[in-house]
Amino acid sequence: MSVDRDYYCSYKFKYLKIDLVSNNTLNCHAAKSHAIDFSWLDNNKGNLFNTDINVAERQMMLANQRNASCEEICWPLEDKGAVSPRMWQNGKIKTHNSIQTQPEILEIKLNDNCNLSCSYCCKDFSSAWRRDLFANGDYTVDTSDVRYQLTSRDKIMMKVSQQEVKNTKQFQMLMSEIKSFAPGLKEIVVTGGEPLLDNQLFDVLDAVSNSSAVINIYTGLGVDVKRFQRMLDKIKQIPTAMISVSAECTDKFYEFNRYGNRWTEFVNKIELLQKSGIEFRFSTTITNLTVFGLTNFIKYFVDQRIGLVFVNQPSMMAPYVLDADSKQRIMQDIQSLPDHYQTQIAQSIQADPGETQRQQMSEFLKEYALRRNLNVNIYPQSFLDWLDIHVVQ
């Protein structure tokens, strides 16, 4: 361990994600997940945030030791001089000294039901992605996980209804944990899948009704207009609720990367959201595929709050996995944006990509586009040439 390097991250001490589908938890959204031991939890009610592994990892951080779960994303990025989630979320600022604590930020993953198959997503967060694998088989690209491969569990989950999941003993135990955390929370984040497709969304929100925390519901707006309006009518009855809309491109780049939705439909739903009076912002995911449409998106929604999220897994989609000409073009494009956007985007593309990342991206992009009959020619020729993708005009 390098003595002059800081391995502390405040998220280990204040953040908890509960996946109600896979029965896993994460003590940082960028870290490795941990399976829930329900036997242990039954004997340690109210302590889901203080499991043995969570306590041990906090102890290591207070001792400035490098822990294994952060090897998924942050440590490898920082090793090569790239910007990690720990850095852009200010996780390096020391906030806690005790290894026993309670969460301040609770993220609840309701489901993996989603009508969209976004370019940077996978079967773990989208049933549309899972249907692609079921219909067309596994992707040939070799990544470090099974995000593009159909497992026996995936086949089972395709047959399980939302209500069947909610009726399990494990689900009820997790709901009890959520209720116990509610009074001390500062922020509650609800994700999916697509939360607006979940019929139990408001049952889960009722479980945290004794909290004064902001409730931030993430959505890709992949729902029909009538359902969307019904959900808005219910959400605006919750004083502390707000909506984070996932989007990062306009027009043809939007439809390529947010496959399953149309740009005009998306804009119409944003107008409905504005009319509802519900506070909202954009959560904008930056990859080497979405970065090309980013400048136009920021300009289109110039009056709205836009938070940038930089993808590092799978590593082939990191924003810096680009050819030199594309990087130069992006640097020119962002000159018209406010300084804080310029700084973040420039930092995200500065690292040098590896050959394995380039090869994986080439293989993935060809297969993703072919399965959806999408036109890759919307991307710069230099990028396609670098990926060795040759399309007949």
Side-chain angles (χ1 to χ4, degrees):
M1 182 190 75
S2 173
V3 295
D4 60 353
R5 180 148 169 200
D6 178 11
Y7 288 106
Y8 178 90
C9 182
S10 62
Y11 273 71
K12 292 285 187 185
F13 296 80
K14 65 182 182 181
Y15 171 94
L16 176 66
K17 177 178 180 178
I18 301 176
D19 187 332
L20 296 176
V21 179
S22 66
N23 290 334
N24 289 329
T25 64
L26 293 90
N27 53 21
C28 172
H29 69 86
K32 183 179 179 181
S33 63
H34 303 299
I36 298 171
D37 183 341
F38 284 97
S39 295
W40 180 91
L41 186 60
D42 201 27
N43 293 317
N44 294 272
K45 294 180 175 66
N47 275 298
L48 184 59
F49 195 46
N50 290 310
T51 59
D52 292 344
I53 184 66
N54 286 354
V55 169
E57 289 186 345
R58 291 179 200 134
Q59 184 67 63
M60 291 180 69
M61 286 196 161
L62 291 175
N64 200 34
Q65 296 175 350
R66 181 165 172 153
N67 70 71
S69 73
C70 299
E71 297 289 354
E72 292 281 298
I73 296 179
C74 287
W75 301 152
L77 283 171
E78 294 179 24
D79 288 344
K80 64 169 62 176
V83 179
S84 70
R86 180 177 81 118
M87 296 168 69
W88 55 259
Q89 292 184 140
N90 295 319
K92 295 175 69 174
I93 300 174
K94 194 168 185 179
T95 56
H96 294 71
N97 292 302
S98 174
I99 57 176
Q100 293 286 335
T101 183
Q102 289 297 312
E104 299 172 17
I105 304 170
L106 176 65
E107 180 175 341
I108 306 168
K109 179 188 172 185
L110 284 181
N111 59 41
D112 51 19
N113 297 323
C114 186
N115 292 325
L116 308 184
S117 56
C118 301
S119 60
Y120 51 80
C121 196
C122 64
K123 62 170 188 176
D124 296 329
F125 303 95
S126 168
S127 51
W129 256 102
R130 202 158 52 234
R131 288 193 296 271
D132 168 22
L133 297 176
F134 189 81
N136 302 304
D138 296 346
Y139 280 61
T140 57
V141 62
D142 183 19
T143 59
S144 60
D145 51 32
V146 293
R147 69 179 62 215
Y148 304 128
Q149 298 171 18
L150 201 66
T151 65
S152 56
R153 181 186 180 280
D154 296 323
K155 295 175 183 178
I156 293 172
M157 292 306 297
M158 290 181 71
K159 301 176 182 179
V160 177
S161 69
Q162 292 181 16
Q163 191 59 52
E164 287 174 316
V165 172
K166 306 304 188 280
N167 287 340
T168 62
K169 178 183 177 181
Q170 290 89 341
F171 180 86
Q172 297 305 322
M173 289 176 69
L174 293 178
M175 291 302 297
S176 294
E177 293 294 305
I178 290 170
K179 289 179 181 178
S180 72
F181 295 144
L185 295 173
K186 296 179 179 178
E187 182 180 2
I188 299 165
V189 180
V190 183
T191 63
E194 172 53 73
L196 301 188
L197 287 176
D198 198 299
N199 295 325
Q200 278 73 44
L201 169 61
F202 294 98
D203 292 336
V204 173
L205 295 183
D206 282 344
V208 292
S209 59
N210 61 332
S211 173
S212 59
V214 172
I215 299 174
N216 192 351
I217 303 170
Y218 277 70
T219 173
L221 303 186
V223 296
D224 67 72
V225 173
K226 289 184 178 180
R227 183 180 181 91
F228 183 57
Q229 186 61 67
R230 290 198 304 270
M231 300 302 271
L232 289 181
D233 291 341
K234 291 184 177 181
I235 292 171
K236 66 183 179 182
Q237 302 304 315
I238 305 173
T240 58
M242 66 170 290
I243 289 177
S244 287
V245 178
S246 297
E248 50 284 309
C249 302
T250 62
D251 299 311
K252 58 188 177 182
F253 282 106
Y254 174 86
E255 294 181 1
F256 189 101
N257 288 290
R258 291 276 173 178
Y259 184 78
N261 209 0
R262 295 292 182 187
W263 169 246
T264 53
E265 295 175 2
F266 175 80
V267 171
N268 288 339
K269 289 171 187 172
I270 292 297
E271 291 174 355
L272 289 175
L273 182 52
Q274 289 172 324
K275 291 177 182 177
S276 74
I278 298 170
E279 180 185 353
F280 78 96
R281 69 175 185 115
F282 288 105
S283 177
T284 297
T285 304
I286 314 302
T287 72
N288 54 351
L289 293 180
T290 64
V291 70
F292 291 101
L294 178 60
T295 297
N296 286 339
F297 180 83
I298 293 175
K299 289 180 176 179
Y300 191 95
F301 293 108
V302 65
D303 295 327
Q304 301 295 336
R305 284 195 298 155
I306 300 175
L308 305 185
V309 180
F310 298 92
V311 165
N312 294 293
Q313 285 292 334
S315 66
M316 66 179 177
M317 289 188 184
Y320 64 84
V321 183
L322 297 167
D323 62 289
D325 287 346
S326 291
K327 289 186 178 184
Q328 184 177 7
R329 171 178 173 169
I330 291 165
M331 290 299 295
Q332 291 172 346
D333 286 346
I334 66 176
Q335 296 305 308
S336 59
L337 299 179
D339 289 346
H340 67 283
Y341 289 127
Q342 290 187 42
T343 300
Q344 292 180 76
I345 298 167
Q347 287 179 340
S348 75
I349 66 173
Q350 68 181 2
D352 294 325
E355 176 59 17
T356 298
Q357 290 172 302
R358 187 198 68 82
Q359 291 177 1
Q360 289 177 336
M361 192 65 229
S362 173
E363 193 169 349
F364 171 83
L365 182 55
K366 286 184 283 190
E367 198 157 8
Y368 175 84
L370 180 63
R371 291 180 181 221
R372 294 160 180 80
N373 195 29
L374 294 170
N375 182 10
V376 297
N377 284 332
I378 65 173
Y379 288 99
Q381 191 60 49
S382 65
F383 180 55
L384 298 178
D385 288 345
W386 181 69
L387 292 175
D388 198 25
I389 296 178
H390 306 289
V391 182
V392 178
Q393 300 290 338

